Amino acid sequence: MCMLVLVSQACSDDFLDQTNPNSLTTKSFWKNNSQLNQGLNSVYSALKNNDVLGIQNESVRTDLAVPSGYRQATRPDEMYFQDFTANTKYVENKWNALYLGVFRANQVIENYERLAVDYTTEAAAEEGSRVYAQARALRGYFYYVLNTSFNSGNIPLVSSVPKDFEEFQKALSSSEAVQAFYRDDLQYGIDNLPSTYADWESYGSNNLGRITAGACEALMGKSFLAENDFQNAEGYFKNVIENYNYALAEDIATTVTGIAEFNSESIFEINYTTNVNLETTGEESLAQNITYIVFNANIQPSSWLAMKYRADKIDPADPANINVGADVYNENGEIIGTEDRMRLYSKRMGDCMGQVDDPDSPMYGAINGEYGNATGVAPFARNRVNMFKKFLHWNTIGGGAGEDRSTLMNNRSGINIPVIRLADVYLMYAECMLESGNLPEGLKYINRVRKRSHLVLLGKASEAGAEFNNLETTYMDDIDFDSSNGQQPVTVQNLMEHLRFTERPLELSLEGDRATDLRRWGKFKEQLEHLASIKYDYWHYEKNLNGKHGTRYKCFLTVSGEEPTTYEGKKVFNQPPEVQDAVVGAQKFNESLHAYLPMPQSEIDSNLNWDEFVQ
Amino acid sequence: MKNKLLLIRKSRLKLMTLMLGLCFGFASAQELSVSGTVSADGAPLPGVSVVVKGTQTGAVTDFDGLYTINAKSTDVLIFSYIGFATKEIAIKGKTSLNISLEEDASELDEVIVVGYGTQRKKELTGAVVQVKSEELAKTTTSDIGTALQGQIAGVNITASSGQPGEEANILIRGFSSLLDGQNGPLYVVDGIPYNSDPQLSISEIESIDVLKDAASASIYGTRGAGGVILITTKQGKVGKMDIRVNSEYGVQDITSGTPLMSSYQLTYMDMLRGAQSSGKVQGGVNAEIHRNRSWFTNDTALEDLILNDLAPIQNHSINVSGGKDGLTYNFNASFYDQSGIMINSDYSRFNIRSNTQFTKGNWKIATGLTFKRDEKTLPNYGVFNKILEYKPFQPDIELGQTELTDVTEDDVDEPGGIGPIRNLGGVARNLNTKEVRDGTSNGANIQIDFDATPSLKFTARGGANFSHDKGVRIIPRLDVYNTAGDLIPPNPWDISLIQTAVTDNNKLTFEGMMNYHKKFGKHDLNLLLVNSLEQTENEYFRAEKRDNADAAVTVFDGYTTGDLITSDGRDYKRTLIGYLGRIQYNYDGKYIFSGSIRRDGSSQFSPQNRWGWFPSASLGWNVSDEAFWEPIKETVNSFKIRVGYGTTGNDRFASYSNQAVVDLGQDYVFGSADVDPSLNSTTETPALGTTQERYANENVKWETSKERNLGVDLAFFNGKLTFSNDVYVSEKKDLLFGVVNPPSTGVFGSNRSSILNIGDMRNTGHEMALKFNHYGKKGFNWNMGLTYAKNVNLVTKTSPNNPVIFLDNSYISQRGPRELVSVIREGYEAAAFFLRETDGIIKTEEELEAYKEIDPAASLGQLRYVDQLTVDTDDDGIPDAGDGKIDQDDKVYKGSGSEDFNMGFNFGANYKGVDFSMNWYGSQGAEVMNGSKAYAYQSGTHADIYYSWTVVNPLSDIPYYDGSPNTNSYRDASDYFLEDGSFIRLRNISLGYSLPSKLTDKMKIGKLRIYVQAQNLLTITNYSGFDPEVGNNGFSSRGIDQGTYPVTSQYKVGLQLQF
């Protein structure tokens, strides 16, 4: 026994040294480029979180969307009611998601810097530096979102993996300091990253989807625009437009329905898939659920936006606006033939928003107006008012079936979500031009975006910058496209208004940073009040175009007192009258409280320096 | 081996010679058979133990007090029986000895098990309480904790739930840790420490000794902070083979429930609400019933389906023991089976234990072999709450079906479409979901004692325990067909699956001990040195497959998609080394000292913090042995004062918390199958991400507890009445605390905290125990016991950066917004409730206008919350105004799930063959959050809602249900759902009858007792929910009735047979 005691004494430290069998320790990881790359993958993985873009919450908090059925303010929605506080889940989750990305990027950055001195081959050094540049660029993006989203831009600037108390409990850095920091990261990306997706492909397969110099440049411009620093922004946008071979895609649907991912218009998008690893859960899952949030109409276009889409002026001269072989119905809704006729609503609306009476746009293989209330059809076919069509498979799934609702798919989708695309850059560049008083250049880029959707263009065809002076294009020098109220020639001022409240929301609904835009224009409260001031009526849609289906209740909106003019011979009635959007939100919105999201309570609770500034 | 040892050591040879000599000496004495009757007060006394002094030879008197024993003419016989003074009589060649025993209720000579040894009760200096098997066996349970409830002052036992096979929460002298689930005691079975409840059957236990104070528990150093429960299993005695059979059968019942609305009431409220929110007249509203017309006549109570009234419970055991010189044995087998009162909840367990003891000369070898197999069936998570959620007009569901056919679908033209049918399928799937957990464990232990000299003893002890658990959870496939025979596809999230989780755990223990015991005159000295090694290994994996092809095949191959295997990071290996030295000294049994020091090293810590010292010292003074006590010794037989001071630790937190690791699984994908034609990266390969996800604290160290204890023990009237009283203060230092790091460091959710030694806590307590035994002259005996315990817990220091921590599991209902209600906050007890105060209902427009100042979104019929005074407007340091809104700051202290005090009362009596006993338990001052009520409110089904505030019932004090579980009035963290959880419960009452010996003799059996018994027959409480005893996980959800499986009443009959 004495022996045993001695033996146990002698090897006691070996006996008590236990290493975690479940994972590598940080000390045994981060040894080479392959591991740096794995670290980098986890930084990309952080992008997948819904709350990074916050599509659902950002759109209901601005003028773009209303939460499902919430026009009648029966149930509180913190974001829609401008009632969010430091305790609001979205506020907390978005902060968490972004700082998670920062933490992971910092790990890659720190460990690269440690490994960088010991690379033995040129190739290894280059590969390492590309990993490093991506981590810097992504960290720059995370900080850009943090800076434009929270606490007037004043946030803790965590630039390394924390080690001691001061690093764990960071005081705030001023918005300027944060901007300087992340612009440095983005600039590093511009200087060191492959410029486009195609360039990335030259480094071997499975590089498609990585962040590019072009993306950094576009984000850099956007970050200056967020400060209304148009001069600086302009330069970056100009580079993006001229130096990277980007081009607008054929239509908006190309960029938002997953049919041609990473196309020529895409500058940076978050890559999702349901083709591989569908069984995984949590962060291993490679799919998103935005598709189903939109499909289940958890967010619907605000009434104001729906009216805007409906009024989107289609170009009668453009042959693309002709619906070839459209069905013709008799009184009983039976198809009695076909005809070629002008579209009722714009192609841009057909790509972005579904409405019950649209006879020209497909919805899961059926015509919206024929789409009815039968077993197995999508919720939209029943009683939704209007529905966003972005991020849906409406042009790939047929038979009116709607999204795949099998248990296998379990509300997951592989459609990529754009972070920034060329149309956005065009419109931002146009804004810079208008700010500098350059109307023709501003018009040029706005019209490029409009022409892609085959809309009537603004300004005069004879003007020097008019690029589409041909027989298939109509120019109108009337900012509201309505000659009945007299011609209102396009000016810098009214074009700016048009850009802010027509062109950008129609082109970039559910995309872009609408809250940042409204805030920097100083129009946030004004716009919400404008929305709240308009009253609408609901209408039932008694029979579908083909008369097959029963009444679709409360599925059409008009401004109160008006009647639907877009379809005939169908009996409609309104009840109850006078629906309003954003009433509570407009009343509660307070620039100082709601223009930015507050710092979340969870940070305040756990960070003693939350109200201190870095000296 | 033994021979070798003897041969190589000369001293041993000498000893051997000496022993042989002694044996030879004995051999010369004459063998004879002695018999006689043992009686007391003229009546024969059965069950008296008769032992030949200095040997293992023994016998027991039968029911007529008769005994027969073989002994030598020179031997001395020892007669002993509980409650009577032990007598030693020399045989002196006689063959017949009739003995009369004197009553003596003194327990001072009782032997109490303390860590690494035993002590006479008189010499005890710590707060150690023993409970014998007879007391434990009075309750039918699979769980030791439940059997101990109310028996020991200062040991707070709360049923975690009524789920069969659930273990009760045991808190010895209050919370010892701020980590969830780490407040329990250390279990030591026959000297072998266990990592968790050893799951013994009550029938294999001889006695349980509880080390309550730190001075006693510090013998177990790093693991003693929650107190220690020492379990001694039954050992055989020399003598005739003894066979005991116990058999018990009963039924269970639940006595209360949450009142729910009927179909008519619910429909009325639906229509009223619809009318109110749409502005239509009531008749113009389409309620749910209109859209499902075939449901019109339904009035379904899901309760009838889910609850299983009169569920059987049974418990059987057989114990065989006996032995001869040099070999004793005890074999125990038991079977316990309990059907739950809820569907899919059963527990059955089979235990076997075989203990043997070999004695030869100076050597004693004791071995124990155990086998345990249990099977536990668990219903789906939160099934109990389905009762509260299910609308009474929804159709009845038959359980166990794999398809529902002919489901009406008369609402296809309505907005809901086929939703209700799909949902019906979902509910049926949910009810049919269950998990079966099988556990097998095998254990073996051996203890070798060698008496080197009469005062020096060496002991080596080894134990091995291997357990294997498998849990299989199946969410079955269930197809729903409409009347047309078409399959209705399920909701996308209604996935059928099988999940199998397997855990392998093994634990090895080795201990070497040296004990030196010597008496010099009136000095009594006992020295002990121990070296202890322990190692625990755990392996785990879980496999999952989805989408069952056919409900008849539920093995893995029967599923078509989603192979998922994970080890969840649960593998670990823990090791522990301990060195212990102890000195026990007493002078004439009057002045007693005990001091110990333990040094422990644990793999849980980094090398610099690995080793810790755990000293203790305690003193006892038997004042009644002093000369000056003589005058009152007749009345106050004994008086002892005990003081003690000790240190204990706690290393129970997640393994490897001191090591930062990187984790896999943060994946991304590059390339796209739907890529633009201009590019060519169409291959989608997941890019595997690996990164650090949480921070580790390399410097984590022991959590220590320093406790001072002062106790007195008194005995009166020949020891008939005993009283003991203990007060203690324990200071918990460097409490391990999951400090929440700011989310800006990139951590949140389950990764957010690192284990730091940061908090301090104090437990102050008072315990009393009173016992009275009466042995009547006419055979009427009775006894009673009363225990009282009060513990005041106070958090004295928390992490400076986390002054208020909301405990993760402390929501009251899963239905609503899941607000957390329990906090750790300096100046309050741990897990205190912090709630919004309510101030009635907003009944009028004027009241609404006034309240809108605070909450602009308020509406009529809502609950009004109090805007607490949190703003100091006149700078006098005292907040004197509200901040104009209802937020986190308006939550105020509202008690906790910890009681003020508890009391236990035991009474037992017997007369001739009839025995009676009962056990009352009362708990005062705990609060309960009625989560079941909140759940039914949030689901809009609670009977109260029918009487709630509406436009037509504007005077009601019940808040209006607006159709949403998140309605502001029904938020979890309000005192609306807070109730007084005090209760008094008749835990146990039993009446038994033993057949007279004349009859049993004819039947050739030793003893036959039959009894009837009821458990939890009566509960006196103001609590309106199922059960005021809400333990849950013992800490963060203590006192929160989250739709917890209620404790049941049981009615049983039983039979005890002895051969």
Side-chain angles (χ1 to χ4, degrees), chain A residues 140-156:
Chain A
Y141 173 63
F142 291 125
Y143 270 120
Y144 159 73
V145 181
L146 281 164
N147 177 249
T148 53
S149 302
F150 288 98
N151 202 33
S152 304
N154 306 313
I155 49 166

Side-chain angles (χ1 to χ4, degrees), chain B residues 498-502 541-545 556 563-566:
Chain B
I498 177 170
Q499 279 176 341
T500 297
V502 175
F541 75 89
R542 180 167 61 89
E544 178 181 313
K545 266 186 105 169
F556 276 111
D563 304 10
L564 199 75
I565 296 185
T566 162

Side-chain angles (χ1 to χ4, degrees), chain A residues 99 140 143-144 146-148 153-157 172-184:
Chain A
Y99 271 110
Y143 270 120
Y144 159 73
L146 281 164
N147 177 249
T148 53
N154 306 313
I155 49 166
L157 191 56
L172 303 177
S173 292
S174 68
S175 186
E176 294 74 42
V178 176
Q179 283 160 7
F181 181 80
Y182 74 70
R183 283 180 189 145
D184 198 36

Side-chain angles (χ1 to χ4, degrees), chain A residues 304-413:
Chain A
W304 169 82
L305 187 66
M307 300 300 148
K308 285 273 177 191
Y309 270 121
R310 239 193 266 168
D312 213 10
K313 191 77 174 173
I314 63 172
D315 187 347
D318 193 331
N321 282 324
I322 302 201
N323 186 350
V324 180
D327 292 335
V328 178
Y329 307 92
N330 68 7
E331 279 147 23
N332 299 325
E334 287 153 358
I335 298 170
I336 50 170
T338 58
E339 62 175 352
D340 297 349
R341 57 172 166 79
M342 191 58 62
R343 293 178 63 92
L344 189 56
Y345 295 114
S346 74
K347 231 172 149 354
R348 182 150 72 178
M349 171 168 144
D351 282 346
C352 299
M353 185 185 86
Q355 180 164 283
V356 69
D357 68 330
D358 186 347
D360 308 304
S361 298
M363 194 72 189
Y364 300 104
I367 296 298
N368 257 328
E370 292 182 4
Y371 201 39
N373 202 354
T375 305
V377 297
F380 173 66
R382 297 194 288 270
N383 66 336
R384 305 284 190 241
V385 178
N386 294 96
M387 181 172 174
F388 283 116
K389 288 169 77 179
K390 284 186 176 177
F391 316 134
L392 300 184
H393 294 97
W394 59 264
N395 52 355
T396 52
I397 293 177
E403 295 294 324
D404 185 341
R405 275 167 292 167
S406 66
T407 54
L408 178 64
M409 206 51 85
N410 192 11
N411 289 350
R412 286 171 297 182
S413 160

Side-chain angles (χ1 to χ4, degrees), chain A residues 176-465:
Chain A
E176 294 74 42
V178 176
Q179 283 160 7
F181 181 80
Y182 74 70
R183 283 180 189 145
D184 198 36
D185 276 347
L186 291 175
Q187 187 60 50
Y188 191 87
I190 296 173
D191 298 339
N192 293 281
L193 282 170
S195 55
T196 60
Y197 296 134
D199 285 352
W200 261 120
E201 283 193 321
S202 70
Y203 290 102
S205 59
N206 282 320
N207 283 311
L208 181 63
R210 294 184 184 277
I211 194 160
T212 59
C216 290
E217 192 127 39
L219 288 168
M220 189 78 123
K222 204 171 177 182
S223 89
F224 282 107
L225 195 74
E227 295 297 294
N228 287 334
D229 180 348
F230 303 102
Q231 274 176 331
N232 271 311
E234 182 189 322
Y236 291 102
F237 293 142
K238 200 172 172 62
N239 285 343
V240 172
I241 293 165
E242 290 177 355
N243 301 340
Y244 295 87
N245 292 323
Y246 293 123
L248 291 182
E250 187 193 345
D251 54 24
I252 296 177
T254 316
T255 65
V256 293
T257 56
I259 54 172
E261 297 182 330
F262 304 109
N263 59 39
S264 60
E265 185 177 341
S266 167
I267 296 175
F268 189 49
E269 61 191 67
I270 304 172
N271 199 14
Y272 296 100
T273 183
T274 51
N275 298 327
V276 291
N277 287 14
L278 191 58
E279 74 283 359
T280 52
T281 55
E283 223 194 303
E284 279 180 87
S285 171
L286 301 173
Q288 45 91 347
N289 67 353
I290 297 290
T291 297
Y292 288 85
I293 289 172
V294 175
F295 175 69
N296 293 326
N298 294 337
I299 42 175
Q300 296 179 359
S302 64
S303 312
W304 169 82
L305 187 66
M307 300 300 148
K308 285 273 177 191
Y309 270 121
R310 239 193 266 168
D312 213 10
K313 191 77 174 173
I314 63 172
D315 187 347
D318 193 331
N321 282 324
I322 302 201
N323 186 350
V324 180
D327 292 335
V328 178
Y329 307 92
N330 68 7
E331 279 147 23
N332 299 325
E334 287 153 358
I335 298 170
I336 50 170
T338 58
E339 62 175 352
D340 297 349
R341 57 172 166 79
M342 191 58 62
R343 293 178 63 92
L344 189 56
Y345 295 114
S346 74
K347 231 172 149 354
R348 182 150 72 178
M349 171 168 144
D351 282 346
C352 299
M353 185 185 86
Q355 180 164 283
V356 69
D357 68 330
D358 186 347
D360 308 304
S361 298
M363 194 72 189
Y364 300 104
I367 296 298
N368 257 328
E370 292 182 4
Y371 201 39
N373 202 354
T375 305
V377 297
F380 173 66
R382 297 194 288 270
N383 66 336
R384 305 284 190 241
V385 178
N386 294 96
M387 181 172 174
F388 283 116
K389 288 169 77 179
K390 284 186 176 177
F391 316 134
L392 300 184
H393 294 97
W394 59 264
N395 52 355
T396 52
I397 293 177
E403 295 294 324
D404 185 341
R405 275 167 292 167
S406 66
T407 54
L408 178 64
M409 206 51 85
N410 192 11
N411 289 350
R412 286 171 297 182
S413 160
I415 295 176
N416 287 3
I417 309 285
V419 172
I420 192 163
R421 59 183 168 98
L422 187 62
D424 191 2
V425 172
Y426 277 176
L427 294 179
M428 290 192 288
Y429 183 67
E431 192 182 341
C432 294
M433 292 297 103
L434 294 179
E435 285 292 341
S436 67
N438 190 344
L439 181 62
E441 194 69 0
L443 266 177
K444 181 171 147 189
Y445 286 95
I446 291 173
N447 279 337
R448 277 193 192 178
V449 170
R450 291 184 66 81
K451 185 61 194 170
R452 182 260 296 272
S453 291
H454 312 290
L455 299 159
V456 169
L457 304 190
L458 281 168
K460 297 188 188 75
S462 56
E463 228 161 295

Side-chain angles (χ1 to χ4, degrees), chain A residues 1 4-5 8-9 12-13 15-27 29-30 35 37-39 41-42 44-45 47-48 72 74-75 83 87 95-97 99-100 103-104 107 156 158 161-162 165 167-170 197-198 201 204-210 254 258-264 269-273 275-277 279-281 283-286 373 375-376 382-383 405-408 410-412 416 553 575 588 600 602-603 605-608, chain B residues 277 280 409 412-418 422 458-460 490-495 510 512-514 531 533-535 546-547 561-564 567 569-577 579 601-603 607 610-611 655-656 659-681 683-695 698 740-748 800-803 856-857 887-888 962-964:
Chain A
M1 199 167 70
L4 271 168
V5 172
S8 80
Q9 273 285 34
S12 69
D13 276 323
F15 185 64
L16 293 176
D17 273 329
Q18 298 298 335
T19 308
N20 194 333
N22 304 297
S23 322
L24 286 172
T25 62
T26 47
K27 284 175 185 142
F29 194 70
W30 305 116
Q35 291 178 334
N37 248 316
Q38 289 177 39
N41 292 340
S42 73
Y44 277 103
S45 176
L47 282 173
K48 289 182 307 190
Q72 298 279 63
T74 51
R75 274 189 236 162
D83 210 11
N87 287 310
W95 179 276
N96 291 349
Y99 271 110
L100 182 71
F103 175 35
R104 292 178 180 177
Q107 292 179 47
V158 184
V161 178
F165 180 79
E167 290 178 307
F168 271 102
Q169 312 243 331
K170 278 271 187 186
Y197 296 134
E201 283 193 321
S205 59
N206 282 320
N207 283 311
L208 181 63
R210 294 184 184 277
T254 316
I259 54 172
E261 297 182 330
F262 304 109
N263 59 39
S264 60
E269 61 191 67
I270 304 172
N271 199 14
Y272 296 100
T273 183
N275 298 327
V276 291
N277 287 14
E279 74 283 359
T280 52
T281 55
E283 223 194 303
E284 279 180 87
S285 171
L286 301 173
N373 202 354
T375 305
R382 297 194 288 270
N383 66 336
R405 275 167 292 167
S406 66
T407 54
L408 178 64
N410 192 11
N411 289 350
R412 286 171 297 182
N416 287 3
Y553 296 95
Q575 189 205 15
K588 285 198 176 177
S602 53
E603 180 73 25
D605 286 347
S606 55
N607 185 347
L608 281 182
Chain B
S277 57
K280 293 180 188 174
E409 130 194 49
V412 281
D413 54 344
E414 287 292 330
I418 52 174
R422 288 184 177 186
F458 291 96
T459 302
N491 284 315
W493 55 88
D494 274 330
I495 297 163
F510 171 80
M513 286 181 265
M514 189 177 79
N531 175 220
L533 299 173
E534 283 179 46
Q535 174 184 308
R546 298 181 160 204
D547 287 326
T561 59
D563 304 10
L564 199 75
S567 63
R570 295 210 210 171
D571 288 14
Y572 64 83
K573 186 170 172 184
R574 290 183 189 182
T575 48
L576 182 92
I577 301 178
Y579 301 101
S602 159
S603 63
R610 183 165 283 165
W611 293 91
S655 294
Y656 314 115
Q659 297 172 5
V661 296
V662 291
D663 291 313
L664 308 170
Q666 299 93 24
D667 303 344
Y668 197 66
V669 62
F670 293 111
S672 167
D674 305 308
V675 77
D676 189 80
S678 68
L679 298 166
N680 46 32
S681 299
T683 319
E684 295 181 349
T685 315
L688 302 178
T690 305
T691 193
Q692 180 184 345
E693 293 198 286
R694 67 193 85 85
Y695 298 100
E698 274 187 53
V740 176
N741 292 314
S744 60
T745 59
V747 290
F748 53 90
N801 42 345
N802 304 148
D887 58 13
Q888 202 81 318
D962 70 2
S964 155

